[in-house]
Amino acid sequence: MGHHCTVDVQLEKLGLVPFFRQLSAEELQKVNEMFRAKHCAAGDVVYYQDEPASYLRVLVHGSVKLIQHTTEGKDILVDMLKPGEYFGSLSVLGDDHYTETAVAQSDSCILVIANREFRDILNSRPAVAVTVLDITSEKLNKAREMTRHFTTMAVEKRIAHILITLCEKFGEESKHGQLLQVPLSRKDIADMAGTSTETASRIMSRFQENGFITSGRQWVAIRDKEGLTAIMGS
Amino acid sequence: MGHHCTVDVQLEKLGLVPFFRQLSAEELQKVNEMFRAKHCAAGDVVYYQDEPASYLRVLVHGSVKLIQHTTEGKDILVDMLKPGEYFGSLSVLGDDHYTETAVAQSDSCILVIANREFRDILNSRPAVAVTVLDITSEKLNKAREMTRHFTTMAVEKRIAHILITLCEKFGEESKHGQLLQVPLSRKDIADMAGTSTETASRIMSRFQENGFITSGRQWVAIRDKEGLTAIMGS
DNA sequence: GCACTAAAATGAGCCGGATCAATCAAGTGC
DNA sequence: GCACTTGATTGATCCGGCTCATTTTAGTGC
């Protein structure tokens, strides 16, 4: 089945979405009515890569990962989303297809809107459009940074970097240190770093020996962020 | 020094920029007055990575490459621009810095606007904002595709892909085949593919032997695009 | 608590591509 | 036309990380 959240919670969460935060209560209400809520269980596929793309989505609860499949059979984990982030398709052009597969990583609640309707929102509310643009250019910068890291840094450094980034986004204090609030396997890490599961595993073991992290099946906690940062510059 | 173009040419070119194409003649005139023209000679640096970023630019004539420098001393060629494309900073936040260095690859004419002013344009003209958003999400998709290629494909395939992409963007018919209308060294190719100059050179030689390309100092022409496409799926 | 399943760890061998080093060739300035 | 500079080529060596194969371990269902 999956997670369920009430209409009230939806409205509240929608108000927290960066590009809707600036809207007045009544405007938010109007926008909210244009969305349709969908609940997903962990592991559910929200949409598949190459499928015709005509919906934009906003994650309200849970976590979603974006994966690109390659002809070689390798997967790339492009992004991991937390509540408040948008995904899916922005474009209104007919022949647009999803460039990645979206999978719910844990039970999630997702708001869906036809991108034609979303366009209407953007066209009538410039401030929203500009904010969406900001977020998108930010993501563009991140994506380019990622390319840079892939091509210049050794796998160990890439993984250190990934852990730090995840820690900033998903970390929450626990007895083990900053526990990442998201299921995270060795394969996930490998797909993010563009390496093999084995290599990811080896490096994670090394990090654990050095006391940088504590980790188990599908979970990771960062103990010593400075240690990881140090790895990156050496 | 560098290239010079008249105010009339500027206005005309500005009208060709995708996100201004929809403006009326008088609006375009108004927008044009907000820009300041700058001329660059081949090799000139337009701005440096990490410099505080407060200007948005539109390339009117020539070509510009965007390069990210890394701590390891390696460079990544992130994008190559042709007239009509924007670059620089979109953000209005104070602590924003350029994420890459922009270098004129040939004599160029560039229109410059303070991004605060550009924001005003966006805020008052939603259609422009939405178009800029479209272009930016397109670039985001491209950037992610690039990441995918870097991590999954062997160097040979990456270079084949890069040549095909460049051919579509810069190729013009000539006696040698599709001649790329942009200076392009082995190092440029290597920086785009995330490999060493030596490896890039070796692969380019192989392509030349196979009759896929013809190439000399700083120039490349594609003879057999299908051949290159075939390389990619094998 | 025990069996079962899927994730994680570990080992050994191999190869693509980086690096270092030297040579070659195409323009450029005089 | 000749020396010079800089891009391009080619060769030899070495190593990080991939692959294949095996073992270990943490959770799950009963």
Side-chain angles (χ1 to χ4, degrees), chain B residues 154-155 195-196 198-199 202 217:
Chain B
V155 179
T195 186
S196 62
E198 293 93 333
T199 301
R202 275 181 250 268
R217 240 176 144 78

Side-chain angles (χ1 to χ4, degrees), chain A residues 154-155 195-196 198-199 202 217 219:
Chain A
V155 178
T195 185
S196 64
E198 294 92 331
T199 301
R202 276 181 249 270
R217 241 175 143 78
W219 65 268

Side-chain angles (χ1 to χ4, degrees), chain B residues 206-234:
Chain B
R206 214 183 304 160
F207 284 171
Q208 191 140 5
E209 277 168 34
N210 296 8
F212 298 153
I213 61 169
T214 309
S215 141
R217 240 176 144 78
Q218 312 251 42
W219 64 270
V220 179
I222 280 85
R223 286 214 114 106
D224 178 8
K225 213 161 110 180
E226 283 66 42
L228 290 175
T229 315
I231 287 282
M232 290 188 57
S234 55

Side-chain angles (χ1 to χ4, degrees), chain A residues 4-226:
Chain A
H4 262 262
C5 52
T6 66
V7 177
D8 279 358
V9 172
Q10 279 169 37
L11 184 61
E12 186 204 320
K13 294 286 180 174
L14 202 64
L16 293 177
V17 171
F19 42 87
F20 290 141
R21 204 173 295 161
Q22 57 208 297
L23 294 182
S24 66
E26 64 226 283
E27 277 215 302
L28 191 61
Q29 178 67 42
K30 238 191 285 178
V31 166
N32 188 43
E33 280 161 16
M34 299 173 78
F35 280 91
R36 203 173 72 240
K38 215 189 131 197
H39 300 276
C40 291
D44 284 1
V45 172
V46 184
Y47 55 78
Y48 288 94
Q49 182 171 349
D50 296 330
E51 217 174 67
S54 41
Y55 293 98
L56 182 107
R57 293 169 171 85
V58 172
L59 180 61
V60 166
H61 173 97
S63 59
V64 165
K65 55 183 178 184
L66 305 182
I67 303 169
Q68 295 195 334
H69 303 290
T70 65
T71 39
E72 271 92 353
K74 239 188 177 182
D75 294 343
I76 300 295
L77 211 169
V78 168
D79 205 356
M80 287 188 33
L81 309 177
K82 68 180 206 175
E85 293 193 86
Y86 83 85
F87 62 115
S89 151
L90 272 180
S91 172
V92 83
L93 304 168
D95 64 333
D96 200 19
H97 294 246
Y98 292 117
T99 53
E100 73 283 313
T101 297
V103 181
Q105 239 173 335
S106 46
D107 291 355
S108 299
C109 172
I110 295 163
L111 295 180
V112 184
I113 189 172
N115 56 31
R116 190 173 295 272
E117 289 184 61
F118 189 68
R119 298 295 267 219
D120 294 341
I121 298 180
L122 294 184
N123 278 314
S124 57
R125 294 173 185 79
V128 176
V130 171
T131 313
V132 176
L133 176 59
D134 280 340
I135 292 164
T136 309
S137 7
E138 183 57 34
K139 279 185 191 264
L140 177 60
N141 286 339
K142 283 263 170 65
R144 285 177 170 175
E145 189 192 1
M146 184 163 262
T147 306
R148 185 176 64 221
H149 284 171
F150 272 121
T151 36
T152 37
M153 308 201 310
V155 178
E156 189 183 49
K157 293 189 183 189
R158 275 183 259 161
I159 293 186
H161 179 255
I162 287 164
L163 290 176
I164 291 167
T165 310
L166 288 176
C167 180
E168 278 157 10
K169 187 161 177 181
F170 296 101
E172 252 167 55
E173 204 51 62
S174 81
K175 58 178 174 178
H176 290 298
Q178 293 279 320
L179 180 65
L180 304 185
Q181 298 296 318
V182 83
L184 192 70
S185 69
R186 293 294 182 268
K187 174 158 172 34
D188 288 331
I189 294 169
D191 287 349
M192 273 186 272
T195 185
S196 64
T197 326
E198 294 92 331
T199 301
S201 179
R202 276 181 249 270
I203 288 169
M204 291 294 279
S205 302
R206 214 184 304 161
F207 284 172
Q208 191 141 7
E209 275 168 35
N210 296 9
F212 298 153
I213 61 169
T214 309
S215 141
R217 241 175 143 78
Q218 312 251 42
W219 65 268
V220 179
I222 280 86
R223 286 213 113 105
D224 178 8
K225 212 160 110 181
E226 282 67 42

